[in-house]
Amino acid sequence: MSNPYVHLQLRFNPFEPAASGAPLSGSLWVPDRWSQPLRDFLDTMEHTRGAKAYAILGEYGSGKTYLLRWLEQEELPGRRIKPFHFDNPGMQFYDLANGLLRQIGREEFAKALWEFLNPQLSGLQSSFLGDTFQEWLRAIKKYRRQDEAIRILAQRVQDKGIASDDEIRHKLGRLIVETYDRPYFEYKDFVAGRRGSLVAEGEEAPYFAALLRALRLTGNAKAIAFLLDEFEEVSLQKRLTKRQAHDYLATLKRLIRLTEREQFWIIVAMTPQAAEVTEKLEPALWQRFVSQGKRRFEIPPLEGEEVKELVRRRLETARLDGVSSEPLFPFPNDLVESLREDIKSSPRRLVKVCSLAIAQAARSPDQVTTPFSIEYLSEIQEELYPPPAMEREERIA
């Protein structure tokens, strides 16, 4: 099958149509004006105590999700910080436990914890029960030694410094042993008080802290970071009931307390409107979260050279091998001047315009000249984002 992008000197379209989140290929790049405040925060948090929380504020399409993905993929791993990304997490505290462990998977988490605890050293010998995790689980069940295994695992949980509370230690032991019959997590596993729940009732926060310690120790990480992408309902004040507001604030309080006690960081991306709602609901809590405004970053609009660099780097990931061309081709060198202010200042709008421009040129190569003309790019912009009626009339006039 022939490559429809060959005349554009590309292997594929490097701009995703939805323009939401991060691209699938290539390393992620962010402007220095974005990265430096976050790096300063991370540098500080690695050498300080107290609450380790940060707020990234931006309108829809400003690059909040992309910035979180940059942290997740490019910045945090090099610091030995294990990141977990949550897209629009729920209001309840157990929603986070559910989202966390279902991201990992029960069997993977149980196996990692089992290997770290090494229960064979405490009475359940590998020569009798098998060397692999699955062999061990199978033998425990076959010889009806589940209760003994849970007891030994619970003791190892304490010995390894994960948890000292009896019920929490027992729950973690159960989580491992019952993985043979229930290899997947279910939502009900994390609702305290329900029959068979893996969370100790009334002990949600200490249990969550034990999970964080287990993840940090089994992964040989310095810290765990939660990247929370939009408490979406918070910015929709009319839909936020008293119960939701209570749950949301209670969850935020618990998270902040955990960052003070554990090697645990939280970075929240939200709209400025959501931040305003949160501050109105409980001003002292919000000021504590952002450290009196020191730990908040409002994403600035893209500027000229940043626009060029974003487009150039995307094109570079898809460029045909051995082809020498202008860095912005098939876009013109004066791309920035060809874009409306509301397009070039917004990463999402910019990427969507670039995506459609390349897609249409690939479909109709005989009708689109390269480099793309100002007229062609104007048509693309108006098709995706029609200007206000008055502005359109002025352009026609």
Side-chain angles (χ1 to χ4, degrees), residues 2 44 48 68 208 212-213 223 225 284:
S2 61
T44 302
T48 191
L68 289 184
F208 202 78
L212 294 174
R213 286 185 216 116

Side-chain angles (χ1 to χ4, degrees), residues 110 112-125 136 147-166 168-174 176-177 210 213-214 217-218:
L113 188 54
W114 176 81
E115 290 174 346
F116 178 73
L117 297 175
N118 201 2
Q120 296 99 321
L121 298 179
S122 305
L124 296 177
Q125 299 301 324
W136 188 87
D147 290 343
E148 180 188 0
I150 291 172
R151 177 180 58 78
I152 290 174
L153 286 166
Q155 183 58 51
R156 297 292 287 171
V157 165
Q158 178 167 304
D159 295 343
K160 291 286 190 174
I162 294 174
S164 57
D165 180 89
D166 289 344
I168 293 173
R169 294 191 295 115
H170 178 81
K171 294 282 188 182
L172 290 174
R174 256 191 59 214
I176 295 172
V177 170
R213 286 185 216 116
L217 292 170
T218 58

Side-chain angles (χ1 to χ4, degrees), residues 13-303:
N13 188 341
F15 301 94
E16 61 276 8
S20 181
L24 295 176
S25 61
S27 60
L28 302 186
W29 169 83
V30 296
D32 289 341
R33 291 190 304 144
W34 296 17
S35 62
Q36 197 56 54
L38 283 162
R39 287 193 172 114
D40 290 344
F41 163 71
L42 296 175
D43 290 341
T44 302
M45 289 303 96
E46 289 191 75
H47 304 95
T48 191
R49 294 184 178 182
K52 295 175 280 291
Y54 194 84
I56 297 173
L57 309 181
E59 300 291 350
Y60 294 108
S62 63
K64 298 189 299 298
T65 299
Y66 183 93
L67 197 46
L68 289 184
R69 290 298 186 187
W70 171 78
L71 283 166
E72 178 187 24
Q73 297 176 32
E74 305 288 340
E75 190 64 24
L76 292 176
R79 297 171 181 260
R80 284 186 49 227
I81 297 169
K82 178 69 175 175
F84 291 92
H85 183 272
F86 296 83
D87 185 15
N88 194 11
M91 300 283 186
Q92 297 278 2
F93 193 64
Y94 58 71
D95 286 328
L96 289 171
N98 173 53
L100 172 65
L101 290 183
R102 292 184 74 167
Q103 269 189 56
I104 304 167
R106 178 168 185 160
E107 187 168 349
E108 183 176 344
F109 178 74
K111 181 182 178 184
L113 188 54
W114 176 81
E115 290 174 346
F116 178 73
L117 297 175
N118 201 2
Q120 296 99 321
L121 298 179
S122 305
L124 296 177
Q125 299 301 324
S126 59
S127 60
F128 175 61
L129 298 174
D131 294 322
T132 70
F133 180 52
Q134 283 298 331
E135 288 173 346
W136 188 87
L137 287 178
R138 194 178 302 114
I140 288 293
K141 182 176 177 64
K142 179 180 179 180
Y143 296 107
R144 299 182 180 181
R145 300 183 68 177
Q146 294 98 322
D147 290 343
E148 180 188 0
I150 291 172
R151 177 180 58 78
I152 290 174
L153 286 166
Q155 183 58 51
R156 297 292 287 171
V157 165
Q158 178 167 304
D159 295 343
K160 291 286 190 174
I162 294 174
S164 57
D165 180 89
D166 289 344
E167 189 171 2
I168 293 173
R169 294 191 295 115
H170 178 81
K171 294 282 188 182
L172 290 174
R174 256 191 59 214
L175 185 155
I176 295 172
V177 170
E178 294 177 359
T179 296
Y180 184 77
D181 293 316
R182 299 176 60 192
Y184 305 103
F185 286 121
E186 299 178 40
Y187 186 78
K188 64 182 181 182
D189 291 335
F190 305 102
V191 182
R194 284 195 180 184
R195 184 178 180 181
S197 172
L198 295 171
V199 181
E201 189 170 7
E203 298 288 336
E204 291 93 337
Y207 177 80
F208 202 78
L211 292 180
L212 294 174
R213 286 185 216 116
L215 288 169
R216 178 173 57 82
L217 292 170
T218 58
N220 193 29
K222 288 169 59 178
I224 299 296
F226 277 15
L227 310 177
L228 307 179
D229 196 359
E230 288 290 8
F231 281 113
E232 202 67 59
E233 293 93 339
V234 176
S235 61
L236 305 174
Q237 194 171 11
K238 293 181 180 178
R239 300 184 190 177
L240 197 64
T241 65
K242 288 184 178 180
R243 176 66 184 179
Q244 287 175 321
H246 174 271
D247 290 341
Y248 166 66
L249 293 173
T251 297
L252 210 54
K253 286 176 184 176
R254 284 176 164 180
L255 288 173
I256 292 173
R257 291 193 192 108
L258 281 172
T259 70
E260 294 172 335
R261 301 169 186 169
E262 304 295 328
Q263 293 302 317
F264 173 53
W265 306 357
I266 50 176
I267 301 175
V268 175
M270 61 203 319
T271 63
Q273 294 79 13
E276 289 174 10
V277 170
T278 306
E279 188 168 16
K280 285 179 181 178
L281 287 171
E282 193 158 337
L285 175 65
W286 179 247
Q287 288 304 315
R288 183 180 168 201
F289 186 91
V290 298
S291 186
Q292 306 301 315
K294 297 175 185 175
R295 295 177 186 165
R296 58 181 284 168
F297 172 62
E298 191 150 359
I299 299 177
L302 288 177
E303 294 181 346

